Amino acid sequence: MRRYGVQPVGMIDDLEFAPLFIAGIARLAWRYRSELAPFTIATSVLLGGMILRHWFPEWWPTVLIITIMLVGVLVVWGRWVNLPRPIERGYAAFTTAFAGTWLTLAAYHGPFTAPLPAVLGIGTFLLAVPWWAHRRRRARVRVERTLAAWPDIAQAVGLAGSRVQSAIVDLWGYRFRLGLGLGQTVEDAVSSVPRLESALGTARGGVRVQPVASKQANRADVRVIETDPHADAIAWPGPSITSITQPAKLGLFEDGNPVRVPLLRRHALFAGMSGAGKSGGVNVLLGDLTACQDVILWAIDLKRGMELQPWASCIDRLATTPQEAEALLADAVVILDGRADDLTMRGERVWEPSPERPALIIIVDEYAELASEAPRAIDYADSIARRGRAPAVNLIAATQRPSKDAMGKSAIRSQMDVRLCFRVREPRDGDLILGQGMVKAGWQPHKLDAPGKFLISSPEHDIPRRARTYLLDDEGVRATAEQHAVVRPVLDEVSAQALERAADTSAPLPRPTVKPSPRHARDNAVREAEEALAAALRQAPGDGVSIGDLMRATGMRRTWVYQRLQDLGRARQVEQVTRGRWRALPEIHDP
């Protein structure tokens, strides 16, 4: 009885229907082969026991020895046969031990000797329950059944002729390699992403399409995200490098692999709309760079130091006004020229960073403000972008929208080898940051849905893969800056001499601390700074005063303050209370 009335029932009472009936049963058995696997294995074990008892009853010790060996192999090397978790290896080992023991007893006593049949039936059912409940198995079966309908799906989404070549289920969803049809390209697959999301039954934004690593034009990797691996923030694990020659780790891709990128002799761009996570990315980068003893850090923060001031104790020079920014970049060009002259005299081509000859990295926050407030500084930045690679003088710029007006000079943006694109509002902004045509090729930063998520384009990362940067909160910034302040290097002799020569022979530029015009004016400023340093040390509380506070009190750079503290420490006039905190010692009168 059905909704629309009584339906006829056909009875199979003729042999001509038997092949159809058998084929239908076979199709059902194949479709549900994963669910029927425990009963299939139990039947095979029963048949094996019958064969052993009838023809090879004396083999029961051999079966027992093979069982013990297989159990040991699964326990020790099970991860190499797709059993990564200990509980999975334990289940496989226990099941193997059960089947091998039953076969041994069946060969010795007979498979139908009580209670062996009951033990096999009850054991099969109990061991089948974990198999049926296993999440990865159920996910694999669901994916196989979904992809079995791929010809119909391909026809519906406009990729007729394509085929699924392989599929892998992981913790967050699944991915499959797609062989494209004749004349189809990866761009065609990218444009079909919204239709794929509908056909595969995923959430919006749950499908990723990207070229394969081998760069074959008729292949594409399709990834289906069912559980967002980047739904929650990722805590910063600490600095990943101790030298600028090592690739920095900026975050994690969706598959859990780290985002590593070399920064030596490279300019970098951090871009995205307000609130997308640029500042968090810059903080993570600074957390790594401040741990390197072969890097001098200069910084420009035209928000009056709101963003970069917490790192002041690790930054050798911090500019917070347009005039200071212009002077800083002018001095960077002087250092660049001085290093180039030194390399020429040495007969070398590149500046190799070391603690004695550190690289110079200049971080500019809100680069658009620099272009509008200090247009002369852009000329210096342009020179650094074009010539800074060999002398290891590099720029790292952060801005919301790197348009021609915001960047000031086209050479700066074109020289940015490393580009991190956080969320943008419009697709055209993605092309502006990453390069013309990148959005059409699958780089779609306008679809990023959380702060800290980004796409990275660099010589090592030429495939669009979503990533999320680590979270380094304000307390973590303060603790990291205090820890790394005591290991920061000083400016190398070549660069320092270049600055001195420029101060003596060229017209002075406005500086944030000491005026570079007449010598006596500089001497007076230094004496005033020393007096301010002594006063700040005498007035320090019991736990000491930080180098950042001493920099603000004296108006001098971190290198000068740290060197002066070292001199006073050798003279037994100051002591280091904790890492990065100092105070004056009481006067000692020698009788």
Side-chain angles (χ1 to χ4, degrees), residues 31-96:
R31 177 177 176 82
Y32 295 100
R33 62 189 181 278
S34 180
E35 289 83 351
L36 296 174
F39 301 108
T40 303
I41 294 175
T43 302
S44 301
V45 170
L46 178 61
L47 292 175
M50 294 170 61
I51 293 172
L52 286 172
R53 179 59 183 174
H54 189 272
W55 281 290
F56 310 102
E58 70 280 1
W59 282 19
W60 68 267
T62 304
V63 175
L64 183 60
I65 293 172
I66 293 175
T67 300
I68 295 173
M69 293 175 61
L70 286 177
V71 169
V73 169
L74 288 172
V75 170
V76 178
W77 292 292
R79 62 175 61 88
W80 302 110
V81 289
N82 201 25
L83 297 173
R85 301 172 60 193
I87 191 172
E88 293 176 346
R89 295 195 292 273
Y91 173 78
F94 185 82
T95 304
T96 302

Side-chain angles (χ1 to χ4, degrees), residues 269-294:
L269 174 65
F270 288 63
M273 62 183 294
S274 178
K278 296 188 305 298
S279 298
V282 172
N283 278 336
V284 170
L285 178 61
L286 281 170
D288 275 357
L289 292 180
T290 54
C292 301
Q293 299 185 33
D294 53 0

Side-chain angles (χ1 to χ4, degrees), residues 293-296 352-359 488-492:
Q293 299 185 33
D294 53 0
V295 174
I296 290 287
E352 296 295 344
S354 66
E356 295 75 24
R357 293 164 62 87
R488 302 300 303 139
V490 296
L491 196 62
D492 59 282

Side-chain angles (χ1 to χ4, degrees), residues 22 104 119 183 205 273 289 343-344 427 436 477 503 538 561 571 577 588:
I22 294 172
T104 302
V119 169
M273 62 183 294
L289 292 180
L343 290 175
T344 301
Q436 191 64 35
V477 169
R538 286 194 300 269
V561 174
V577 183
I588 301 175

Side-chain angles (χ1 to χ4, degrees), residues 38 51 75 97 143 146 212 241 271 276 305 350 395 414 436 474 492 513 526 530 537 546 574:
I51 293 172
V75 170
V143 171
T146 300
V212 299
I241 59 176
V350 294
L395 283 172
S414 64
Q436 191 64 35
D474 294 341
D492 59 282
T513 55
V526 170
E530 290 177 344
L537 290 169
S546 68
V574 298

